Structures are given as structure tokens and as C-alpha cells.
């Protein structure tokens, strides 16, 4: 999947994880290929740890996989390898700080973590860990596991079962003790994790697309709360038991995070996005004459735009192009810097939109920091009207389970009523897909999704002080309106 050219306007997935176990070989190369396929889940740092059977040897680097791991010199052969690509969910983004896998020795342990723990410093045993050794929740998790192994003299699965029930929050883990490979999902199943095979090697990855990208066959997805052990004696599965833990898979995986060629819970991401686009056309049509054209915001909204156009009977045109390969940018906070970045990375096509009424389809609207510029680009190219249609509900609450969305006051729909969004974004009208229609498009049990960022209903307790200044902001659990907002009319 191509990365989004105006990523400052989007939520950022925390990371992607991958692992390989099989007869001793150069598994680091295979893990690296899977990390490339997961590059959209993190471009801040990348790392690989190889288990030789007795020890773990690791390499980390800043940037994309190509930048961080241009070669694999110095990484040995061995039966197991673990990899990670990362975005930070909190604090400054300074490349290698917090890069994973976290690698500890005596006894060896490598941990690749996707997700975020809620108040991990309050977990039993955390007060015995030197805080100077743990700049991230992932490092604390690794040290809690190591402490359980050394203090109790138990193996890695037993340490996992001792430590994980004490923790709250999201974790999809790929781990190794130098000999074996382990995959774990938290009891809520917030973040995805899939199992595959390629020849005589077992594969673990955040998405099924990473398994198929290396010629592997998807076997299944790990269940919420599952601990999967893979080694010379075969595979074994057990379950982390947490009372009253209900499945709460991230709904935004279907909206934006996952690659369109992945499957989640056996359901295709592409099909979910296409159905969401169709439902959006039914829910928020743009009527009137002349009939409009549909433009997608590159790249993740293209599938939803196709669904919208098909259902509405409208043509899709490439009104916005990405002129060349560009990566995700974390740019200065000033509006002028954001606008210049968008103009550099997106090019409007006058031949497609001049004189047209445009339906601009996007998958989500979170901060809204660049959409006004995108709308302006289309108007400069000659669009006479721009009607923004979002294939998900308004994003109003922050995520505490591994997604970087910013503070509540940074979320546009949390600060402004729906009726004011069109003017703020420079559009003729704005409309969002309703939650029930999005859930129906994704499929499966409606009660099995985490929708906290859309509804304010969190599956777990949130960190203390998470909503310090509620004035003017929607509060968790409140109902919100997703009605059409117009400067003029869409009819």
C-alpha cells in the first residue's frame, strides 16, 4: 500500500510486528521482506533480532526499512528472527529512541510490541523495575517478563501467563527467547496478528498481506488472548484469561490502517472499504445538476471512492495525484508549513476537475489540518463545488490502545459542531458515514469492535488525567450527530 501523502491529517498506527521460525537459516532476510510489506504501519524506525539458539543478535535503525536496514550484515543465521517497524504514540519522534525489538539478555529475550499499555507503571511488579531502564511501555513489558523468568525460573510461556493478566491495554506481541517464536494477542484483540507458513517455516505478522507478500500461506489469525508457541517440538496454544474481557478489535483497521489486500477476522479489508463507500453514497448523496464527479484522496480512500461512485452512478476521476514517490512526513506545526507540504505532495489535475462539481471522498477526518488546503487545490484547479464525504463517523476521542491521534482538543470534530465543519474546511458540504453503517460494512459481530475514538466508549479504564479540561469537548460515552453540514446546499 502506498503511504498517505498528507499523513499529518491522519491517525498513525503504532507499529507492525513480524517473526519467522524454521530450520536454521537466514531468516532475517524474510523478516525484512515482511517489514517492508508492513511499512505503512511505521516509518520512524525498524529493527530485527535473530536467535541463534543460545543468544540474540539485533540491529536497529532510524527511518524506513530501507533506511534503517539497508543490509543485513552482521546478523547471523538461526532458527528464529523477530522484526518491528515503529511509529511513536507519545512524545517526540527522534528515530532510534524506543526502537524495537526490545532485546534483553541473561536469559535472552526479544519483544516486538504493537499497541499501547494503559498505565503500565501501575502494574504489579513495575515498581521493582528501574524507571531509568524503561523509556517505553514495551521496554517495561520486556523487563517484567524477564523478571518473571529469572525470579521464578520458568519458561517464556509461563512468564507470559504470569505477567500479561496484570496488564491493561493493547498488545500484539512477537517474541523470541533465542530458540522459539511466540505470538500473543491481548484478551480484547485490539490489534491484529496472523499466522502463516512458507515451506517448513512458520510466519507471524501484524497483517495477512505481509505473509502473502513473501509467498506464504495464511493459516489463521490468532484469537484474542491467545499465546502461541512455535519451536522444534511443534506448536502449542494457550489462553491468557482476564475476567470480563470482551473482544474489541480496532474498527479503524478496516477504515484506514490495514492494507486493502489484508483480511481481518477472515473478512477482506478491500470489501469492507468498498461497502463503506457504497453505504456513504446511499447515506449522503450529492444531488443536483450537473452531476458531479468523484475524486479520492490518495491513497487509502480510493477503494471507498470506487464504492461511492459505483453506487451513485458517477464517474471517478483522478483529480488528485501524488507526483512521485513520497513518504510520510512529520512536519512543523505551523499552518504555512503544513500547506507547503501538502502542495508539494499532492497535485490537482485541472483536466479532471475544471468546471466540475466534485465529491471528494476520504476515509477519515481526524485533525483536519490539511483538508482545507486539499479543498483549495481543487478549487484552484477549477472545481466549482467541493462536497466532502467521509467513509467513517467523526473522530472525536483519543485512542489509548496504540494509535497516535493527538490530544482531545486537536481533534477537529471534537472542537467544532458538524454544522461548522464545511466552512472551516472550505467545502460546500461535509457528511460522515454513520457508525452503524460502517460496522455493517466491516461485518461480523457489531459488539466485537472497539469504537472508542468514535463513541467515547472505552473497553478499559483510560489513563488518569486523560481528559483534564472537558470544557467544550465531548465527553466519553456521549452521543453525537453525524448529519450533513453545508455552507449552501448539496441538492
Amino acid at each position: 500500500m502506498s503511504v498517505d501523502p498528507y499523513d499529518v491529517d491522519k491517525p498513525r498506527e503504532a507499529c507492525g510486528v513480524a517473526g519467522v521460525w524454521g530450520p536454521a537459516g537466514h531468516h532475517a532476510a524474510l523478516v525484512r521482506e515482511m517489514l517492508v510489506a508492513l511499512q505503512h504501519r511505521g516509518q520512524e524506525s525498524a529493527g530485527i533480532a535473530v536467535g541463534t539458539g543460545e543468544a540474540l543478535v539485533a540491529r536497529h535503525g532510524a527511518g524506513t526499512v530501507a533506511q534503517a536496514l539497508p543490509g543485513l550484515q552482521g546478523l547471523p543465521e538461526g532458527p528464529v528472527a523477530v522484526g518491528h517497524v515503529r511509529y511513536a504514540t507519545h512524545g517526540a519522534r527522534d528515530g532510534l529512541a524506543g526502537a524495537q525489538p526490545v532485546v534483553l539478555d541473561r536469559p535472552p529475550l526479544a519483544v516486538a510490541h504493537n499497541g499501547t499499555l494503559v498505565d503500565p507503571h501501575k502494574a504489579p511488579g513495575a515498581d521493582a523495575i528501574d524507571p531509568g531502564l524503561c523509556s517505553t511501555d514495551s521496554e517495561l513489558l520486556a523487563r517484567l517478563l524477564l523478571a518473571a523468568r529469572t525470579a521464578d525460573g520458568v519458561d517464556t510461556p509461563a512468564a507470559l501467563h504470569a505477567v500479561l493478566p496484570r496488564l491493561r491495554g493493547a498488545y500484539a506481541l512477537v517474541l523470541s527467547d533465542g530458540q522459539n517464536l511466540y505470538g500473543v494477542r491481548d484478551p480484547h484483540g485490539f490489534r491484529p496478528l496472523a499466522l502463516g507458513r512458507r515451506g517448513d517455516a512458520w510466519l507471524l505478522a501484524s497483517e495477512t498481506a505481509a505473509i502473502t507478500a513473501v509467498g506464504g500461506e495464511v493459516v489463521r489469525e490468532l484469537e484474542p488472548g491467545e499465546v502461541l508457541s512455535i519451536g522444534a517440538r511443534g506448536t502449542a496454544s494457550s489462553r491468557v484469561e482476564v475476567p470480563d474481557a470482551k473482544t474489541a478489535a480496532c474498527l479503524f483497521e478496516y477504515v484506514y490502517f490495514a492494507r486493502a489486500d489484508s483480511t481481518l477476522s477472515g473478512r477482506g479489508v478491500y470489501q469492507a472499504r468498498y461497502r463503506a463507500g457504497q453505504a456513504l453514497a446511499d447515506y449522503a448523496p450529492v444531488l443536483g445538476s450537473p452531476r458531479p464527479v468523484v475524486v479520492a484522496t490518495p491513497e487509502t480512500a480510493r477503494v471507498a471512492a470506487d464504492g461511492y461512485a459505483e453506487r451513485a452512478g458517477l464517474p471517478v476521476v483522478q483529480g488528485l495525484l501524488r507526483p512521485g514517490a513520497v513518504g510520510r512526513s512529520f512536519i512543523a506545526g505551523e499552518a504555512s508549513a503544513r500547506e507547503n507540504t501538502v502542495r508539494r505532495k499532492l497535485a490537482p489535475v485541472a483536466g479532471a476537475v475544471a468546471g466540475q462539481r466534485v465529491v471528494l471522498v476520504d476515509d477519515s477526518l481526524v485533525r483536519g489540518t490539511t483538508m482545507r488546503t486539499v479543498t483549495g487545490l481543487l478549487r484552484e484547479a477549477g472545481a466549482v463545488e467541493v462536497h466532502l464525504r467521509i467513509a467513517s463517523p467523526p473522530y472525536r476521542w483519543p485512542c489509548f490502545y496504540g494509535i497516535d491521534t493527538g490530544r482531545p482538543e486537536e481533534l477537529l470534530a471534537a472542537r467544532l459542531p458538524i454544522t461548522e465543519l464545511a466552512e472551516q474546511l472550505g467545502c460546500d458540504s461535509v457528511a460522515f458515514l454513520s457508525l452503524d453503517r460502517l460496522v455493517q460494512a466491516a461485518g461480523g459481530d457489531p459488539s466485537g469492535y472497539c469504537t472508542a475514538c468514535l463513541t467515547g466508549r472505552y473497553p478499559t479504564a483510560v489513563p488518569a488525567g486523560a481528559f483534564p479540561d472537558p470544557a467544550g469537548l465531548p465527553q466519553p460515552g456521549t452521543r453525537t450527530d453525524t448529519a450533513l453540514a453545508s455552507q449552501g446546499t448539496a441538492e
Side-chain angles (χ1 to χ4, degrees):
M1 182 178 82
S2 300
V3 295
D4 196 279
Y6 52 100
D7 185 62
V8 291
D9 214 12
K10 298 290 184 178
R12 288 179 282 268
E13 168 58 74
C15 53
V17 295
V20 175
W21 184 93
H26 199 47
H27 296 321
L30 188 54
V31 168
R32 186 184 185 279
E33 289 184 52
M34 288 197 288
L35 294 182
V36 170
L38 296 171
Q39 188 72 86
H40 58 288
R41 300 184 80 92
Q43 295 190 9
E44 187 174 329
S45 64
I48 294 176
V50 176
T52 63
E54 298 180 352
L56 286 160
V57 180
R59 284 189 59 189
H60 302 90
T64 65
V65 175
Q67 295 166 335
L69 302 167
L72 299 174
Q73 298 84 359
L75 287 176
E77 293 189 357
V80 62
V82 172
H84 188 274
V85 290
R86 177 179 183 266
Y87 278 136
T89 53
H90 301 288
R93 296 177 170 84
D94 50 0
L96 278 175
Q100 296 186 43
V102 178
V103 179
L104 307 174
D105 55 11
R106 292 191 298 273
L109 181 67
V111 178
H113 173 205
N114 178 20
T116 298
L117 302 178
V118 177
D119 289 334
H121 59 283
K122 296 182 180 179
D127 55 352
I129 305 295
D130 183 351
L133 299 176
C134 303
S135 61
T136 68
D137 59 339
S138 304
E139 292 172 325
L140 178 59
L141 170 59
R143 292 194 177 276
L144 287 173
L145 291 171
L146 188 68
R149 288 182 61 189
T150 55
D152 302 331
V154 298
D155 59 10
T156 302
L160 289 166
H161 282 281
V163 170
L164 295 181
R166 312 174 192 168
L167 303 177
R168 290 184 296 128
Y171 52 84
L173 307 174
V174 175
L175 313 91
S176 177
D177 51 18
Q179 295 180 338
N180 305 300
L181 180 67
Y182 305 96
V184 185
R185 286 184 77 190
D186 68 72
H188 296 281
F190 286 112
R191 310 258 68 84
L193 189 61
L195 173 69
R197 289 294 299 267
R198 196 180 87 156
D200 51 9
W202 289 97
L203 313 176
L204 287 171
S206 290
E207 292 186 35
T208 59
I211 293 172
T212 57
V214 297
E217 178 184 356
V218 177
V219 176
R220 63 180 179 88
E221 296 169 63
L222 272 66
E223 296 292 328
E226 183 175 2
V227 176
L228 179 66
S229 304
I230 304 172
R233 296 182 179 180
T235 65
S237 179
S238 56
R239 191 63 58 93
V240 175
E241 297 294 344
V242 175
D244 301 323
K246 297 181 180 180
T247 300
C250 176
L251 184 59
F252 244 72
E253 291 283 353
Y254 289 97
V255 174
Y256 175 71
F257 298 130
R259 282 176 40 153
D261 55 338
S262 284
T263 60
L264 299 168
S265 300
R267 296 183 293 277
V269 173
Y270 176 91
Q271 288 83 355
R273 291 177 183 168
Y274 195 88
R275 288 192 295 265
Q278 291 176 313
L280 184 61
D282 291 336
Y283 185 60
V286 176
L287 306 176
S289 181
R291 303 195 73 199
V293 297
V294 176
V295 173
T297 56
E299 291 290 333
T300 54
R302 292 201 185 279
V303 178
D306 287 344
Y308 188 103
E310 182 274 334
R311 181 59 60 88
L314 299 174
V316 177
V317 299
Q318 292 200 32
L320 292 168
L321 297 179
R322 293 192 305 120
V326 291
R328 300 193 179 202
S329 296
F330 299 101
I331 60 176
E334 296 181 0
S336 59
R338 289 194 296 266
E339 181 174 345
N340 289 337
T341 296
V342 176
R343 287 179 175 275
R344 187 173 69 251
K345 294 185 174 185
L346 281 181
V349 182
V353 301
Q356 300 283 357
R357 302 171 69 221
V358 170
V359 180
L360 178 61
V361 177
D362 206 348
D363 47 64
S364 57
L365 182 73
V366 180
R367 295 171 179 86
T369 50
T370 62
M371 183 53 71
R372 187 175 185 89
T373 302
V374 173
T375 301
L377 289 174
L378 291 171
R379 292 196 187 278
E380 290 173 13
V384 295
E385 294 179 12
V386 179
H387 299 276
L388 180 61
R389 295 295 180 265
I390 307 295
S392 62
Y395 202 115
R396 285 191 168 101
W397 289 273
C399 176
F400 302 105
Y401 308 116
I403 307 303
D404 177 20
T405 56
R407 298 180 301 275
E409 61 270 23
E410 295 176 331
L411 305 177
L412 185 65
R415 294 189 288 106
L416 294 175
I418 295 295
T419 53
E420 295 181 15
L421 286 180
E423 181 178 0
Q424 176 74 18
L425 298 173
C427 302
D428 293 277
S429 70
V430 178
F432 298 80
L433 185 63
S434 65
L435 178 60
D436 59 341
R437 288 171 172 84
L438 175 60
V439 170
Q440 186 176 12
D445 183 357
S447 67
Y449 290 112
C450 176
T451 62
C453 58
L454 308 174
T455 63
R457 292 188 282 271
Y458 292 89
T460 72
V462 300
F467 298 93
D469 184 12
L473 298 176
Q475 291 305 291
T478 58
R479 296 182 62 85
T480 56
D481 179 28
T482 59
L484 181 73
S486 303
Q487 290 192 54
T489 177
E491 310 237 283

